[in-house]
Amino acid sequence: MGVDIQTPDAAWSRRRFIANGLLPVLLVPQLSRALTATAMPHSSARPGGHNAPPPGGLAGPSGKEQAARLTTPVYVTGHGPYRFLVDTGAERSVLAAELASRLALPRCPPVLLQGIILAQKTPEVEVAQLATGGVICTDLRVPILSGAMLGADGYLGLDVLNGHRVVFDFKRHALRIEKPQGFFSALWGEDDQIRVRAQGESGRLRSTDCYVDGVRATAFIDSGAQVSVCNPPLYAALQQRKSPPISLATVELSGVTGGTIAGSVTVIDTIRLPGLALTVTPVVIADLRVFALWGLSRRPAILIGMNCLRAFSSVSIDYARKDVLFRIPSAATSPMELAQTDSGLG
């Protein structure tokens, strides 16, 4: 997969980064293990009128996969720090059941969590305080799931992230939750940065100015997914083009609540966002419930997972300012072409 940085009219490439790695077809065996499928809330609501959406999760992530995942230190009711992942596709945070038991957190009535395949009843716990970086949240009710399934002590969802800034620093292998950028800081852009404006409410940020092999689609970032996924309406639209992508293989995707769902692997030539393009990107075609949750089950949409994000030095999502900042690697062991041309930020 490569990253092209482009002028707004896509006439010139200022910098091209071609990532080292296996050919897309050779990635097929890894894709079924790499997806962290986002679990959705069941229609039943818990007391207080709030559904209980769990985070993403892949059954039994390998040690290598766990080592590659970015985590951030989190203090739970003053104890810690504990190792938490960030799931930008989850409505609320989740806690490992083992940690909840160790901290003797008060239990609440169970809620029915709907994963990508199966529903599972699980309790919620009361969390008096959850703190990470400069972010402090109080009086939370958090669903619990097995730590072995999560591969971490917990996940941070949009209930914590919304209104703040999340920085995935792949160069330093670090994950930070920060205050949003100030007005003047957000206006300042460096040569190796591309800013993509987003829209949406309650943390559900998306870009409608996305083109997948020429098909206009809605794109959103789901850091709980280790691979990118396009929904069936997008794939159907792609199949109507002169050179449609073909299915390379079928893989099984697993969710934290159990069960599997079949997905087809294909390769997208170009995913364009304002100011940049991702090239030769392997994706899975699957009808995940996250598309329905975001109101995107009937129109072309693509979930941008960690396999795309890791092509950059860092990716920051500013939920207060509603933008995503991509930082291009300034140096890499893989080939890089530089073209001297000015380019505005998208």
Side-chain angles (χ1 to χ4, degrees):
M1 183 181 71
V3 179
D4 286 342
I5 309 307
Q6 303 175 333
T7 59
D9 59 5
W12 291 89
S13 173
R14 184 178 69 203
R15 176 180 293 160
R16 185 178 184 187
F17 171 62
I18 306 173
N20 282 329
L22 299 176
L23 293 175
V25 71
L26 298 181
L27 293 175
V28 171
Q30 284 76 22
L31 290 179
S32 61
R33 299 194 301 272
L35 181 72
T36 303
T38 301
M40 296 301 117
H42 189 265
S43 57
S44 300
R46 68 171 175 84
H50 297 288
N51 287 335
L58 171 68
S62 69
K64 182 178 180 181
E65 289 164 355
Q66 288 189 26
R69 301 165 99 182
L70 299 184
T71 61
T72 190
V74 174
Y75 290 84
V76 181
T77 62
H79 299 275
Y82 300 106
R83 188 172 59 92
F84 273 58
L85 295 159
V86 164
D87 190 343
T88 60
E91 299 289 288
R92 287 170 49 218
S93 304
V94 70
L95 199 64
E98 297 84 351
L99 177 58
S101 296
R102 190 159 64 247
L103 296 178
L105 299 178
R107 293 281 183 114
C108 303
V111 291
L112 189 61
L113 304 181
Q114 178 64 61
I116 61 169
I117 303 300
L118 300 177
Q120 181 186 89
K121 274 192 174 182
T122 183
E124 289 184 316
V125 293
E126 295 180 1
V127 178
Q129 186 184 85
L130 189 151
T132 176
V135 177
I136 298 177
C137 299
T138 58
D139 299 325
L140 298 175
R141 291 180 66 173
V142 182
I144 60 174
L145 291 171
S146 166
M149 302 294 280
L150 295 176
D153 295 314
Y155 279 71
L156 299 179
L158 295 178
D159 56 340
V160 171
L161 305 177
N162 193 27
H164 299 94
R165 184 170 180 246
V166 182
V167 180
F168 298 91
D169 191 337
F170 299 108
K171 183 177 180 180
R172 296 176 176 83
H173 198 74
L175 174 59
R176 303 187 301 275
I177 315 297
E178 303 174 345
K179 294 181 179 180
Q181 282 190 312
F183 176 77
F184 291 106
S185 297
L187 293 177
W188 180 263
E190 301 178 16
D191 288 342
D192 62 348
Q193 293 179 331
I194 297 296
R195 190 181 303 273
V196 175
R197 305 297 180 183
Q199 58 188 23
E201 301 298 331
S202 302
R204 295 182 184 178
L205 300 186
R206 66 193 75 188
S207 172
T208 57
D209 196 10
C210 173
Y211 291 85
V212 180
D213 282 350
V215 174
R216 187 163 189 167
T218 299
F220 64 96
I221 292 177
D222 188 345
S223 63
Q226 295 303 306
V227 297
S228 300
V229 182
C230 69
N231 67 354
L234 174 54
Y235 189 63
L238 292 172
Q239 290 299 101
Q240 297 176 7
R241 304 187 66 80
K242 291 183 179 180
S243 300
I246 61 172
S247 175
L248 299 175
T250 299
V251 295
E252 283 191 342
L253 310 177
S254 301
V256 294
T257 57
T260 60
I261 186 173
S264 298
V265 179
T266 191
V267 175
I268 301 299
D269 288 336
T270 307
I271 301 172
R272 296 187 185 277
L273 289 165
L276 63 85
L278 300 170
T279 59
V280 193
T281 304
V283 301
V284 175
I285 307 126
D287 192 13
L288 297 183
R289 295 180 184 271
V290 66
F291 291 112
L293 178 69
W294 286 54
L296 299 171
S297 59
R298 296 185 178 180
R299 56 182 187 226
I302 184 166
L303 176 160
I304 298 177
M306 294 295 278
N307 66 320
C308 285
L309 302 184
R310 288 182 181 278
F312 301 91
S313 289
S314 68
V315 176
S316 64
I317 306 174
D318 195 322
Y319 287 96
R321 303 207 62 83
K322 295 186 179 182
D323 64 28
V324 183
L325 193 64
F326 298 89
R327 184 181 292 273
I328 309 304
S330 57
T333 56
S334 52
M336 180 177 290
E337 297 174 4
L338 297 177
Q340 299 301 322
T341 180
D342 291 332
S343 173
L345 298 181

